[in-house]
Amino acid sequence: QVKAAVKSAVKDDDRRRAVMVFGLEESASEVVQDKLKDVLRVSCSTARLLVKDCHRVGAVRTGFVRPVKATFHSNETAALALKCGKNLRGTRYSKVYISPD
């Protein structure tokens, strides 16, 4: 029972440190981390948000853009990324949305 409780707590903590980014254009020769860094730089220019890991989620399908799952080092950084997501309106990333995982 203790092991199950610890696993559940760790999983919840991992999910608090992750966000999903929808609408980020996809190309065959892309570097997802660079695109994500640019989105975060545009949205939250005053803070430097360090991404621990990021990758596209789902199978490749023509005509669809797969979301990006980004994991940060802390849940405070993820919360700041979510808060700054509203600043993408009116920029070249106006169709990009950041939501909690």
Side-chain angles (χ1 to χ4, degrees):
Q1 288 178 346
V2 173
K3 285 184 182 180
V6 170
K7 281 185 182 180
S8 175
V10 168
K11 185 178 179 181
D12 287 345
D13 189 47
D14 285 346
R15 295 214 41 203
R16 281 192 206 109
R17 287 188 270 151
V19 298
M20 297 295 290
V21 181
F22 297 93
L24 190 58
E25 288 298 319
E26 186 172 2
S27 63
S29 62
E30 72 176 359
V31 179
V32 179
Q33 186 134 7
D34 292 342
K35 284 187 175 185
L36 185 63
K37 281 182 182 178
D38 192 43
V39 168
L40 294 173
R41 185 184 53 75
V42 168
S43 70
C44 206
S45 59
T46 58
R48 187 171 167 190
L49 305 175
L50 297 176
V51 178
K52 182 178 178 182
D53 182 38
C54 68
H55 59 274
R56 294 257 180 204
V57 178
V60 178
R61 297 186 320 192
T62 56
F64 291 95
V65 178
R66 297 180 294 163
V68 176
K69 181 176 182 177
T71 306
F72 296 95
H73 291 283
S74 69
N75 54 356
E76 292 87 9
T77 309
L80 183 60
L82 288 169
K83 184 178 175 183
C84 291
K86 65 181 180 188
N87 298 333
L88 292 172
R89 282 185 239 145
T91 67
R92 66 180 179 272
Y93 295 116
S94 60
K95 295 191 187 255
V96 174
Y97 299 96
I98 302 174
S99 69
D101 179 29

